[in-house]
Amino acid sequence: MKYKLLTLSLSAALLTPIAPALANTDNAENMQLDQVLLLSRHNLRTPIDNTGILTEVTDKKWPAWDAKSGYLTTKGGALEVYMGHYFREWIDQNKLVSDELCPTGNEDLFVYTDSMQRTIATAQFFTAGAFPGCTIKIHHQPEIGTKDPVFNPIITNDSAEFKEKALLAMEDHLKGLDLKPGYDELDAILNIKDSQKCQTDKLCNLSTQKNSFIIEANKKPGVAGALKIGNSAVDAFDLQYYEGFPLDQVAWGMVNSADKWKKLNTLKNGYLETLFTPKIIAKNVAHPLLNYINKGFTSADKGETAKFIMLVGHDSNIASLMSAMDFNPYKLPEQYEHTPIGGTLVFQRWHNKSDKKDYVKVEYVYQTADQLRDNSYLSLETPPKHVTLEMKNCPIDKNGYCAWEDFQKVMKSALEE
């Protein structure tokens, strides 16, 4: 297997010309799927912070979970089996790998994950759904629970200038968000005015609290204040809904409309995007992952690496990578999260047999909020949702394809710091 961990350097980016019109991609018979790379977020886990500050901002009791904090749940495993089953049907339909039940060799499949329980388990369940009965190697760091440098979105620039610009970028991003409706909704749900934090620290209204951003070398971008509290609380509510808790236990029965879910998730989306998508931060923290993908997918010649590559990481990996690569804004119908649980970026390399050129298509494939809650079976007949994405400097045609050469230049530009 030639796909392996990679160095983190790359030559300077080339300027991106305007792409020519794409030829004959509307004829499906012309298009042959040559390679696929999935960048997935782990599936359904338990809340990471269901104690500590969350117990101080409400006088209500948080529901108990039957797994350790941050672990993939049993239902998360079932959901990922279904996602694996769907993708196996899809790659069979497109004749990407051999028709055998199990991959015939390393040229077909390569799976690599962060070394957390939830990411490793996600890959295990996915491959069980896609290749039932097969022995599939999941590549990860030897010690479970240690962060893999490829997936660890930490700051690597320790200069004072970088820190100043990064902090300013986070402040500027936050100023552009209208989070007050979400904070007001959360205040009411938590009954924060009667909480311990209100009594001891006068934290009685989240929208009036100051946020303090943190940029330190070898650590993730961070924040202290209302934004962090809002993210943790809404994350817990989302997970309760997905897990199938009775509705009177999901946010204590106080989130009963799509409008309320949308308001609340502005806090969660705002947290992720403020910390990880300002360009100066995104290009820094996503660099190891971008470099890995570039060497193993973008720059690799056909046959050098596996036809089907699966990477499993976190929402911060997806958000920072998409920012670094200049993806255009997108919406995910029937989801409130911008980087939902179990969702995956699907990078597809297609060959046009008519003009003998390669093209790339990128889709966000994800389960809707209700598919997650209902544990919906996935197949070609009952698929997850698909949203075609576009990068600023890789224009797509009506079928979602952009020129492979332009995609390569996008990746090089993303890697230039």
Side-chain angles (χ1 to χ4, degrees), residues 157-167 215 280:
N157 188 327
D158 62 357
S159 72
E161 180 183 11
F162 176 89
K163 180 176 182 177
E164 181 181 359
K165 289 181 178 179
L167 290 171
I215 290 289
I280 187 173

Side-chain angles (χ1 to χ4, degrees), residues 41 45-49 65 229-242 264-265 268 315 337 341:
R41 183 185 177 192
R45 57 159 171 76
T46 59
I48 292 175
D49 180 7
W65 289 75
I229 295 170
N231 172 69
S232 296
V234 176
D235 180 63
F237 298 156
D238 284 345
L239 297 173
Q240 292 166 10
Y241 185 82
Y242 298 155
L264 288 168
N265 273 279
K268 186 174 180 181
D315 51 0
E337 296 185 89
I341 282 283

Side-chain angles (χ1 to χ4, degrees), residues 359-374:
Y359 297 91
V360 67
K361 185 175 187 178
V362 187
E363 293 181 298
Y364 214 130
V365 176
Y366 64 98
Q367 291 149 298
T368 69
D370 286 340
Q371 281 180 319
L372 290 167
R373 180 169 176 82
D374 297 340

Side-chain angles (χ1 to χ4, degrees), residues 28-48:
E29 294 181 357
N30 286 335
M31 304 304 291
Q32 173 183 313
L33 183 61
D34 280 349
Q35 193 178 20
V36 171
L37 182 141
L38 307 185
L39 174 59
S40 296
R41 183 185 177 192
H42 58 79
N43 216 297
L44 182 57
R45 57 159 171 76
T46 59
I48 292 175

